[in-house]
C-alpha cells in the first residue's frame, strides 16, 4: 500500500472554521475530501495566537497590560518563550514626567521604575496564559535582591530580560536583568500574582 499524504485546509473567514483534509495516495491524482466541523471558537483561536506569539508591538502589549502613559514602561517585545522567558525593549526619553523632579539638573531613571519595567515585562508573559485577562490585574507580591548597577539616562535603550523561576497558574517568580549597550544596569527577583479586577459600578441617580 502506498503511503498517504495529508493536507489540511482551514477557512479563517468564518466564526466556526471547517477543515478539509485531503488524503492523496502516493503518485495517484485522486483526492479524498473529508469535511469535519471544527468546534474551536474565534475566542479560543485568539487565545492560542496570543500564547504562540514570540514578539509584540506596543498595541499588542497594551491589549495585555492595563498600564497607560506615563506608567507603561515597555515599548516592544522582541523575544518570548511560553512560560520560560521574555525580552522587552524600553526607550528612555527626556519627556517622561519623572525626569522633571528626578533630578532637574541630572536626570536619572528611578530604580523603582526599572523594577516596575521588569514586572511589566514578566506580566506580558504571564497574561498571555490567562484566558480571562480582561477581568484580571497583575500585582506585586514581593521583590528580592534588587540591585542598581549603573545610572540610566535619557537616550538609553533598556533591554529587559525576564526568566521564569517558578510558575503557577496565577502567580510567578521571575528573575529580571536590564542591560544598556550590553552592560548590566539593574537586576531583581520579583513575585507577581493575578487577582480579580474590581469593576466600579455606575453611580445611581438620586431619587426625586
Amino acid at each position: 500500500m502506498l503511503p498517504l499524504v495529508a493536507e489540511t485546509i482551514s477557512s479563517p473567514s468564518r466564526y466556526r472554521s471547517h477543515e478539509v483534509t485531503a488524503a492523496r495516495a502516493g503518485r495517484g491524482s485522486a483526492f479524498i475530501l473529508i469535511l469535519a466541523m471544527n468546534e474551536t471558537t474565534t475566542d479560543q483561536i485568539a487565545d492560542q495566537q496570543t500564547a504562540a506569539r514570540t514578539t509584540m508591538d506596543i498595541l499588542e502589549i497594551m491589549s495585555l497590560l492595563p498600564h497607560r502613559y506615563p506608567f507603561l514602561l515597555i515599548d516592544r517585545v522582541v523575544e518570548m518563550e511560553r512560560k520560560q522567558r521574555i525580552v522587552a525593549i524600553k526607550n528612555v526619553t527626556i519627556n517622561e514626567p519623572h525626569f522633571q523632579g528626578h533630578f532637574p539638573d541630572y536626570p536619572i531613571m528611578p530604580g523603582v521604575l526599572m523594577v516596575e519595567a521588569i514586572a511589566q515585562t514578566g506580566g506580558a508573559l504571564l497574561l498571555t496564559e490567562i484566558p480571562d485577562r480582561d477581568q484580571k490585574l497583575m500585582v506585586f507580591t514581593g521583590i528580592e535582591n534588587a540591585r542598581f548597577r549603573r545610572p540610566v539616562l535619557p537616550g538609553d535603550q533598556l533591554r529587559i530580560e525576564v526568566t521564569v523561576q517558578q510558575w503557577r497558574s496565577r502567580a510567578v517568580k521571575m528573575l529580571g536583568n536590564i542591560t544598556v549597550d550590553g552592560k548590566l544596569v539593574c537586576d531583581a527577583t520579583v513575585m507577581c500574582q493575578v487577582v480579580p479586577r474590581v469593576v466600579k459600578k455606575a453611580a445611581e441617580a438620586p431619587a426625586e
Side-chain angles (χ1 to χ4, degrees):
M1 180 180 293
L2 294 175
L4 297 181
V5 179
E7 297 177 0
T8 302
I9 305 170
S10 60
S11 173
S13 61
R14 300 182 181 178
Y15 286 102
R16 283 193 174 180
S17 61
H18 296 283
E19 291 187 354
V20 179
T21 303
R24 180 169 50 192
R27 299 177 181 175
S29 59
F31 286 87
I32 302 174
L33 300 180
I34 303 172
L35 183 63
M37 291 296 294
N38 183 358
E39 297 299 331
T40 303
T41 65
T42 52
D43 289 341
Q44 290 172 327
I45 292 172
D47 289 339
Q48 292 168 2
Q49 291 174 342
T50 299
R53 291 173 182 164
T54 58
T55 62
M56 285 190 281
D57 61 25
I58 186 61
L59 295 179
E60 291 170 315
I61 292 170
M62 291 174 67
S63 72
L64 291 173
L65 299 181
H67 308 74
R68 293 297 181 264
Y69 177 85
F71 220 70
L72 180 58
L73 298 176
I74 58 176
D75 298 322
R76 184 161 48 98
V77 171
V78 295
E79 298 177 31
M80 186 163 59
E81 300 173 29
R82 286 188 63 188
K83 300 184 179 182
Q84 298 296 323
R85 64 185 289 273
I86 184 172
V87 180
I89 298 298
K90 158 68 177 170
N91 295 302
V92 182
T93 62
I94 190 60
N95 61 348
E96 295 177 57
H98 48 264
F99 287 129
Q100 296 180 23
H102 196 278
F103 301 99
D105 298 324
Y106 185 43
I108 300 176
M109 184 175 182
V112 291
L113 294 186
M114 286 190 275
V115 177
E116 172 67 22
I118 290 173
Q120 290 185 18
T121 301
L125 182 66
L126 171 61
L127 289 171
T128 58
E129 306 293 333
I130 306 297
D132 56 343
R133 52 185 168 269
D134 59 329
Q135 303 173 25
K136 304 295 182 182
L137 284 177
M138 190 201 71
V139 296
F140 267 127
T141 57
I143 304 170
E144 295 178 352
N145 303 320
R147 297 289 186 273
F148 308 102
R149 314 287 182 172
R150 298 169 181 267
V152 171
L153 310 176
D156 286 342
Q157 184 180 79
L158 306 184
R159 185 181 189 273
I160 309 159
E161 182 170 356
V162 175
T163 304
V164 174
Q165 294 185 320
Q166 295 178 11
W167 183 286
R168 297 179 182 176
S169 60
R170 299 285 173 173
V172 292
K173 181 177 182 180
M174 304 169 288
L175 173 63
N177 292 289
I178 302 179
T179 58
V180 174
D181 296 329
K183 297 178 180 179
L184 184 65
V185 297
C186 173
D187 55 290
T189 299
V190 299
M191 286 73 77
C192 301
Q193 183 175 354
V194 175
V195 299
R197 184 181 301 193
V198 177
V199 179
K200 293 183 179 180
K201 296 182 179 179
E204 297 181 0
E208 295 183 357

